[in-house]
Amino acid sequence: QIEVMAAHQLNASSAVDDDEINAATAALDDMASNINIASKYSKTIGTLVLERVGQPWISNVLKQCIADRNDQRALQWGSMLVSFGETYTEFMIQNITHPQLSGHVNTFLQIMLALSRFPGHHGIDEDVSDQPLNFWYLLQEALVDFMYESESDAELARKAAETQAIVKQLYVELLKALVSKCTYPPTDVWMDADKEERERFSGYRREVADALLNTYYVLREDMLSLLVDESINAMGTFELESWQSLEALLFALKSIGEAVPESESTFLPRLFSADVLKQSFMSVLQASARDDNCAAQWGLASTKASILSLIGAYGEWWKGHPELLPVAVPCVTSSLSQPGLVQAAVAAFRRICDSCREQLTEASGSMILLAREVLLAGNSVPLREQQRIFESVAEVVVAQRPDKQVESLTPLIAALAEALGKSASLLESAPGGIALCDLEPYTAPLLNNLRLVDSLARGLQFSDEIEETAIVGDAESTAELEYAAQCYHSSRALQEFRAVLMGLMSRIFVSRIWPQDAQTHMVQIDDCLVECVLSIVNNSARRGPHALAFDFGDIVALIGNAWNATVSRNEGVAGTAVLGSRWSDQCPAFLQCVSQLVMVFSTKENSWQPTRTSADEVDRMLGAVLTRLIDDIYFGISREASTLATAIEQQPVINEYVFDLCTRVLQTHPELFTHLEQVSLGRLCDLSLQALSIPNRLALKPTAYFLTALIRLSSSSTASINTRRQAAMDLLGALWNKYGAAWLRATLAAIGGTHPRSLLPNLSELLFAMTKNHLITTRQWLGELLSQPDFPSAFVDSTTKRIFAQQMVGTRSFSKAKGLVNEFSVKCRNLQGTVYA
């Protein structure tokens, strides 16, 4: 078949037509990629194919179609040969030094190289060169395996070293080919290419980046040496007219950044030396095109972006060379003033800050100055990039001693307070009676500044590790958090900023500038503002100290004002409320925020929380918040449809957040349930019952988690727990006695076929919790429910149901219970004996 293909290419007028060639190609492709055949006959088939392809006249045919840039022929050959190569890489590695086969293997590998360097620019004027990329990855993996397997045998080790040397020579050529192929085309070719062609070339470059990484694993220092030498030379002679070659080298160096060890001390110190950074990198980054034509601007911007990406890719390496950071960081930050480079500069800045927090603490003053300049620059830096800068700067600041943190933050929060005041005044100056969409020019500046505060709050968080170790009693972590709390609490600058921020956020929800809904007469507040305020509360309310932490009472009052702006109580009709038209969009953010407050404030008081509200008062206030939320959400969901179940099905996300919050309460501080009103508890149980009946993952999964936690806690009763905890357990037990039979019925119906089988793991866990924690009542209810005709399915008889009930109440193994539920569900769905069983 191979010879027929080659002969046909030599003689286009032969009797073999294109259809036969295509059939031959397909047959060879299938054979070459068949793993089963390869595992049995790898030596036979591998030898046959390599011998045929290795014949000079056939290899010349292949090389000729590549030289002629005949895409169609090259793709035909490439498809078959690449499939063969990917399947037989191990065979080739083992025989690359074989006396009879080494020449054929080398010929084949040279053909793969020729395909990899197929003339043209992929996606624009050729579609061949991407075919062998995966082959090179598999060949590298086969080499690694061969080297590892040869370590224990001296003769094999000698052969492996010889094989490695040959493969290294091959990969040096591959490196040159890959750098050449990822080089951008001449400017005129790029400008003539359409959008789809450019996207295909960019996608190909991403694939080449992976191939370069695999090449590094073979060449290691040899590759780094070659790329560094050529990059330094290219930067020394850089001219805008030939920018593509430098950009390709920088791209290659960036692509291998994750694999180069932090300890590399031979080549990277040359590339990132102070002289090269100042004279070469900085000069290119600050260069400008001699004219305003689009082509020149594009070339220079691409080169600059690659320099920034390269600096960011070696973030971990900079950590071991802090002496170079004072030169490297300005290379990045100086590019923030160039609009086309902001995104690349911020990405590099974040990578360096993430990796080198401790090393950058000495430069925190300049970091704060940068954040302040970004704030004052306004829209010249996109908001999303401003947020990333603020968060990264905060992460560097929080790595300092707490007293230094306060000192560093003071000028930045002063500038933020001023910006917040101006934007708040602008909002208050908005004319009355205008629509919400027309308020955007007045709300946008305030929203942007609040988002910067939110990013600052997120970056100023202590690590979870420090908080966790302090909570369990680690003396060093506890002392660190106590000192931080003292510094934050005593700082006048932070006190004033927190007061300004809380006052401003509170005024948002009582302002008279918001328009009213024509039907409900509820105010309409911008959703993004609501979510941003709640996010600030979320990110500053931590178990450890936080520079922007607010008093618990102020937080509850703020949430109350915000919720009142969304939902207004109808005092004339008990148990009802008037809800704004946007309440369902804003509701998840409220529930998530309250969930964070439960985790932070309802746990035990720690020594670094000297101003915390008393535990009883916290429970009372959180209980009131939970009661209000449950009642209003229950009413809000109920009004959305004719039945509660239909309403939950239409609003599954709200149901998800409600039960995520309630599960957090049960896991963190179940005593809070004793502060909920009985009617609110009843509404919560009604919601859970209806959610169980809905075959929707968002509705059922969090509900099942909540009920499983409730059932487990409701059976706990030991002498070691305190009176308040016992009261909570008794309350949960009463809920089980009242609603347990209904929960069990809904669970059995879901198992019996009303719900998809993908939900069975959650249903199994819930049913197992019932049988394990409330054996007597569950056994009784199971008997009563399963004795009903056709329940939970008409496909199971009474004997099958009785056996299932007996086995479920008799097992104490969850894995066994899960198997029982799966088996019973299959029978209920009449799927036994089918492929779906």
Side-chain angles (χ1 to χ4, degrees):
Q1 298 271 32
I2 293 172
E3 290 170 354
V4 166
M5 289 173 61
H8 176 68
Q9 188 168 324
L10 282 176
N11 182 13
S13 61
S14 67
V16 182
D17 60 26
D18 287 340
D19 289 340
E20 291 177 294
I21 292 298
N22 291 333
T25 304
L28 288 167
D29 196 356
D30 290 341
M31 179 276 295
S33 60
N34 191 308
I35 297 175
N36 292 328
I37 293 178
S39 63
K40 295 179 181 179
Y41 311 109
S42 62
K43 182 177 180 180
T44 302
I45 295 179
T47 302
L48 284 171
V49 173
L50 289 173
E51 286 177 347
R52 295 304 185 279
V53 175
Q55 294 179 71
W57 74 278
I58 291 183
S59 60
N60 288 337
V61 166
L62 290 170
K63 293 174 183 177
Q64 187 61 46
C65 78
I66 293 172
D68 294 342
R69 300 182 63 172
N70 189 327
D71 281 42
Q72 182 181 358
R73 296 296 188 196
L75 286 170
Q76 278 183 336
W77 283 105
S79 175
M80 183 273 291
L81 293 177
V82 169
S83 294
F84 169 78
E86 291 176 350
T87 309
Y88 291 82
T89 48
E90 184 178 342
F91 175 79
M92 281 185 276
I93 285 292
Q94 292 172 348
N95 291 280
I96 202 168
T97 59
H98 191 280
Q100 282 77 43
L101 289 177
S102 59
H104 298 316
V105 173
N106 182 64
T107 299
F108 181 87
L109 295 174
Q110 291 300 319
I111 291 171
M112 290 293 103
L113 266 178
L115 290 171
S116 299
R117 59 166 77 101
F118 194 87
H121 301 90
H122 187 81
I124 298 176
D125 54 9
E126 64 93 357
D127 294 303
V128 176
S129 57
D130 64 326
Q131 283 194 317
L133 292 180
N134 190 56
F135 165 77
W136 297 115
Y137 159 71
L138 294 173
L139 190 69
Q140 175 256 322
E141 290 283 298
L143 175 65
V144 171
D145 293 341
F146 185 61
M147 298 294 294
Y148 176 76
E149 293 166 359
S150 305
E151 290 177 352
S152 58
D153 185 282
E155 179 60 26
L156 283 177
R158 183 195 61 76
K159 179 181 177 182
E162 185 179 348
T163 299
Q164 185 182 35
I166 295 172
V167 173
K168 274 192 170 184
Q169 293 176 1
L170 176 73
Y171 272 76
V172 168
E173 295 302 313
L174 175 64
L175 170 61
K176 296 175 182 177
L178 293 175
V179 172
S180 173
K181 290 300 296 183
C182 74
T183 302
Y184 275 102
T187 304
D188 58 336
V189 175
W190 182 260
M191 292 302 169
D192 289 340
D194 58 32
K195 181 181 178 182
E196 183 179 352
E197 290 173 333
R198 293 181 183 182
E199 288 177 351
R200 289 172 62 196
F201 179 78
S202 299
Y204 170 70
R205 274 183 38 120
R206 289 190 290 270
E207 295 179 21
V208 169
D210 293 335
L212 286 164
L213 187 61
N214 299 323
T215 303
Y216 174 79
Y217 289 132
V218 175
L219 298 177
R220 302 285 179 178
E221 294 82 2
D222 294 340
M223 179 173 178
L224 205 54
S225 172
L226 181 64
L227 290 177
V228 168
D229 287 345
E230 292 196 14
S231 296
I232 292 175
N233 291 336
M235 280 188 289
T237 59
F238 176 71
E239 293 183 1
L240 186 54
E241 291 75 14
S242 55
W243 63 271
Q244 288 93 337
S245 57
L246 172 60
E247 193 280 336
L249 291 166
L250 298 175
F251 175 81
L253 279 167
K254 185 265 294 186
S255 300
I256 63 174
E258 66 181 70
V260 177
E262 302 170 30
S263 58
E264 206 293 311
S265 57
T266 304
F267 305 106
L268 291 182
R270 290 176 49 218
L271 178 67
F272 294 133
S273 68
D275 289 341
V276 173
L277 287 171
K278 291 178 181 177
Q279 298 172 14
S280 298
F281 281 92
M282 187 66 86
S283 63
V284 174
L285 288 170
Q286 297 303 314
S288 57
R290 297 191 186 96
D291 50 45
D292 294 330
N293 74 72
C294 182
Q297 295 289 354
W298 168 66
L300 188 58
S302 298
T303 307
K304 290 179 178 181
S306 291
I307 290 176
L308 295 171
S309 297
L310 172 64
I311 294 173
Y314 288 87
E316 291 296 324
W317 186 85
W318 295 111
K319 183 164 60 175
H321 300 78
E323 71 280 1
L324 294 174
L325 286 171
V327 185
V329 173
C331 284
V332 175
T333 56
S334 64
S335 302
L336 291 169
S337 59
Q338 303 180 51
L341 294 180
V342 170
Q343 188 172 358
V346 171
F349 181 73
R350 292 206 67 182
R351 289 285 296 274
I352 294 175
C353 289
D354 288 346
S355 302
C356 311
R357 295 179 190 177
E358 290 78 10
Q359 291 75 15
L360 288 170
T361 53
E362 296 300 322
S364 61
S366 60
M367 294 283 191
I368 291 293
L369 181 60
L370 168 66
R372 192 169 180 274
E373 289 175 352
V374 167
L375 174 65
L376 297 175
N379 295 332
S380 63
V381 177
L383 175 63
R384 184 59 189 147
E385 309 308 329
Q386 291 183 42
Q387 291 177 260
R388 289 171 174 161
I389 291 173
F390 266 64
E391 185 174 347
S392 295
V393 168
E395 289 170 351
V396 172
V397 169
V398 83
Q400 302 178 103
R401 293 200 327 266
D403 56 329
K404 291 293 184 182
Q405 293 179 34
V406 174
E407 182 181 337
S408 298
L409 285 172
T410 299
L412 180 58
I413 59 177
L416 268 174
E418 182 179 356
L420 286 168
K422 291 180 179 178
S423 55
S425 299
L426 175 64
L427 178 61
E428 293 296 336
S429 69
I434 63 175
L436 182 63
C437 58
D438 296 328
L439 276 173
E440 184 177 358
Y442 300 92
T443 60
L446 178 59
L447 177 60
N448 292 349
N449 289 325
L450 286 174
R451 281 175 169 163
L452 294 179
V453 173
D454 187 35
S455 298
L456 188 68
R458 187 163 47 251
L460 288 173
Q461 296 171 359
F462 276 90
S463 70
D464 292 337
E465 181 182 358
I466 294 177
E467 292 181 358
E468 293 289 350
T469 54
I471 288 171
V472 299
D474 180 74
E476 184 178 349
S477 298
T478 300
E480 182 178 353
L481 296 189
E482 287 175 347
Y483 182 49
Q486 177 187 349
C487 292
Y488 297 159
H489 183 66
S490 60
S491 167
R492 185 172 182 83
L494 286 175
Q495 289 175 11
E496 292 176 352
F497 182 72
R498 289 192 294 263
V500 167
L501 182 59
M502 177 56 72
L504 185 149
M505 292 191 300
S506 298
R507 287 200 305 275
I508 289 174
F509 300 107
V510 296
S511 175
R512 297 183 179 277
I513 60 101
W514 304 111
Q516 288 188 341
D517 184 90
Q519 294 181 341
T520 64
H521 302 291
M522 294 288 298
V523 296
Q524 295 178 305
I525 301 180
D526 185 276
D527 289 348
C528 294
L529 265 178
V530 175
E531 292 172 4
C532 187
V533 168
L534 295 175
S535 182
I536 291 172
V537 173
N538 240 348
N539 286 317
S540 60
R542 308 290 296 175
R543 289 180 296 177
H546 193 285
L548 304 185
F550 302 108
D551 178 76
F552 177 72
D554 292 339
I555 294 175
V556 172
L558 175 66
I559 292 176
N561 288 335
W563 188 252
N564 285 335
T566 303
V567 178
S568 176
R569 286 284 181 162
N570 186 348
E571 303 298 341
V573 182
T576 64
V578 177
L579 291 92
S581 59
R582 309 171 74 87
W583 80 275
S584 59
D585 297 325
Q586 299 171 352
C587 190
F590 280 97
L591 294 167
Q592 194 172 18
C593 185
V594 173
S595 180
Q596 178 72 6
L597 297 183
V598 168
M599 185 185 73
V600 171
F601 291 101
S602 65
T603 53
K604 70 172 185 176
E605 183 174 347
N606 297 295
S607 56
W608 56 84
Q609 298 170 317
T611 60
R612 178 167 157 172
T613 309
S614 67
D616 290 340
E617 183 64 9
V618 167
D619 285 0
R620 185 193 65 78
M621 296 172 74
L622 282 176
V625 170
L626 286 171
T627 296
R628 175 75 188 277
L629 284 173
I630 290 171
D631 288 349
D632 290 347
I633 290 172
Y634 180 88
F635 177 81
I637 290 180
S638 300
R639 78 169 192 177
E640 298 294 328
S642 56
T643 66
L644 185 59
T646 303
I648 294 173
E649 193 167 15
Q650 294 174 353
Q651 300 276 1
V653 174
I654 294 178
N655 182 83
E656 178 187 15
Y657 278 94
V658 166
F659 286 108
D660 281 347
L661 167 59
C662 292
T663 304
R664 170 68 62 84
V665 173
L666 288 175
Q667 294 172 340
T668 306
H669 193 56
E671 290 88 339
L672 279 179
F673 271 83
T674 62
H675 291 271
L676 268 65
E677 296 179 6
Q678 287 296 318
V679 65
S680 302
L681 284 171
R683 288 168 177 162
L684 182 64
C685 291
D686 286 342
L687 281 174
S688 68
L689 184 58
Q690 296 302 320
L692 273 184
S693 67
I694 299 171
N696 181 299
R697 178 173 293 274
L698 283 179
L700 184 135
K701 193 172 181 179
T703 307
Y705 281 145
F706 164 72
L707 291 177
T708 300
L710 184 150
I711 291 166
R712 287 170 178 167
L713 285 171
S714 64
S715 66
S716 302
S717 181
T718 63
S720 61
I721 61 177
N722 59 45
T723 304
R724 295 178 63 201
R725 175 59 65 92
Q726 187 59 59
M729 303 302 101
D730 293 342
L731 174 62
L732 298 179
L735 292 177
W736 164 256
N737 292 331
K738 184 175 181 180
Y739 294 94
W743 288 330
L744 178 58
R745 181 182 180 83
T747 303
L748 290 173
I751 293 171
T754 62
H755 289 41
R757 292 172 65 193
S758 61
L759 296 174
L760 285 182
N762 305 106
L763 296 166
S764 300
E765 186 177 14
L766 176 56
L767 182 57
F768 181 68
M770 294 177 181
T771 58
K772 182 179 179 180
N773 294 279
H774 293 281
L775 178 61
I776 296 175
T777 51
T778 303
R779 180 194 291 127
Q780 177 188 342
W781 291 335
L782 265 176
E784 294 172 358
L785 290 168
L786 293 179
S787 64
Q788 298 175 8
D790 297 340
F791 181 82
S793 167
F795 294 112
V796 287
D797 55 27
S798 58
T799 302
T800 302
K801 292 190 285 187
R802 184 181 70 254
I803 293 173
F804 170 69
Q806 291 173 348
Q807 291 176 328
M808 277 301 304
V809 299
T811 184
R812 287 294 175 265
S813 166
F814 174 61
S815 60
K816 185 176 180 180
K818 190 175 177 181
L820 291 171
V821 169
N822 283 331
E823 182 182 351
F824 184 66
S825 182
V826 166
K827 293 177 180 178
C828 288
R829 300 165 197 263
N830 198 29
L831 294 176
Q832 58 269 40
T834 70
V835 294
Y836 302 104

